[in-house]
Amino acid sequence: MLNGWMRKKSCPCAGLKGAGQNRLPLCEAATGKRFKVACIDGGRHLCARMAALGIYPGVEMELLCAGCGCPCLVRVHGSTLSLGAGVSDKILVTAS
């Protein structure tokens, strides 16, 4: 707790209807498949940075390369992005 504020320990969209069904971190998803972003399990800064890159809940992306704790390559809105292992672990996706 910091100055009366308590940090959330779960995904901000955890209370949404149907949440938790078939969601997995982007870093654990199958390479070469298309996915829809379900939630970004991070703070305001991470969510804002991902939104600036075009990654936000509801957007579809294609996972080009992932695994081994190395950066993930994704294609979103026609651009290819490299996401670090820590960031890709916080992006929860569902099959598209």
Side-chain angles (χ1 to χ4, degrees):
M1 185 157 15
L2 178 65
N3 295 336
W5 289 83
M6 185 181 266
R7 289 189 59 110
K8 294 181 182 177
K9 300 222 186 260
S10 63
C11 181
C13 58
L16 294 178
K17 187 176 185 179
Q21 296 177 357
N22 302 322
R23 293 190 314 179
L24 70 154
L26 182 63
C27 62
E28 295 177 11
T31 302
K33 304 271 184 180
R34 294 188 62 81
F35 297 95
K36 186 178 281 194
V37 176
C39 182
I40 299 175
D41 190 14
R44 277 189 344 198
H45 183 69
L46 177 63
C47 291
R49 188 170 51 157
M50 292 298 102
L53 292 173
I55 299 173
Y56 45 85
V59 75
E60 288 191 11
M61 64 170 60
E62 180 182 0
L63 184 59
L64 302 175
C65 182
C68 307
C70 57
C72 286
L73 289 176
V74 296
R75 180 171 293 133
V76 60
H77 299 299
S79 298
T80 302
L81 303 172
S82 176
L83 302 173
V87 172
S88 63
D89 189 46
K90 295 180 179 188
I91 298 174
L92 301 177
V93 296
T94 59
S96 179

